[in-house]
Amino acid sequence: MANLPGGAFAKGRDRIVRVANPGGTRQSCTVSSGAITLPSGLTYLPLKGATRAEFTPAPNSQEFFLLGDNGWRDSVGVTQAGEMACSAFFINSLDSSGVPQADIDPGLQLVLNAESDPDVELWVEMFTFLGLDSSSNYIYHCRAFQGSVTNVSEAAPSDGLIEYSWTIQSRGEIWAGKHDNASAALTVY
């Protein structure tokens, strides 16, 4: 196992999540030679206050046994799904007279709008920064899928700071591949 240089671990964990409203249409990607091509025409909203985004694949296998194989079991993958667990913070800001102002990140607002209806689907893209290539292009590992918001929880507010957590469960295919963002880093601002 190779030893990583000091900054490699920290830089390898840079993560950006963005969501989009697919408008009732099932979106798709293409992956060719490990490179992902994302759908065009969507209005992407990055989750600015995201503090956690963890993707977990959930393959489902069917076990079988072959006669004459000395009783060893084997399996074949029959379905693939995934979940992305997220957490974000948002603040109840106050105006000069002490009245709370609703100034919520548009990406988070899209998630909030989808939490109460399991039939509402969001398009989700999660990018993990891998580094710069030899041409100084920003390279990311990307997972993209359409899914619905589930498992919502909201921590008790403290001094106007609210932690909101949710899971997006995939519906349909999940794509993964290398995303080359050319000479500019992805940003949430």
Side-chain angles (χ1 to χ4, degrees), residues 2-32:
N3 194 9
L4 295 174
F9 181 74
K11 292 308 280 177
R13 300 302 299 165
D14 290 352
R15 172 115 353 120
I16 292 176
V17 177
R18 60 187 189 183
V19 294
N21 181 349
T25 304
R26 188 60 58 98
Q27 300 296 312
S28 66
C29 295
T30 57
V31 178
S32 177

Side-chain angles (χ1 to χ4, degrees), residues 133-180:
D133 69 4
S134 59
S135 301
S136 294
N137 287 351
Y138 287 79
I139 306 298
Y140 297 84
H141 178 69
C142 177
R143 291 181 183 94
F145 61 94
Q146 202 149 316
S148 62
V149 176
T150 62
N151 301 328
V152 174
S153 69
E154 188 175 306
S158 168
D159 292 333
L161 185 64
I162 299 170
E163 182 179 19
Y164 180 74
S165 299
W166 70 95
T167 301
I168 298 179
Q169 292 182 338
S170 70
R171 291 190 178 168
E173 191 170 348
I174 300 168
W175 292 270
K178 182 176 75 171
H179 175 70
D180 184 339

Side-chain angles (χ1 to χ4, degrees), residues 45-101:
L45 302 169
L47 295 173
K48 295 177 184 174
T51 57
R52 180 177 66 100
E54 299 171 1
F55 180 81
T56 305
N60 189 4
S61 299
Q62 179 68 47
E63 289 186 359
F64 63 90
F65 298 88
L66 296 175
L67 294 176
D69 197 18
N70 294 328
W72 296 102
R73 73 175 181 200
D74 204 345
S75 65
V76 62
V78 292
T79 61
Q80 175 79 3
E83 294 183 346
M84 187 175 70
C86 294
S87 292
F89 285 100
F90 60 97
I91 297 173
N92 283 340
S93 58
L94 303 176
D95 67 9
S96 60
S97 61
V99 177
Q101 300 298 301

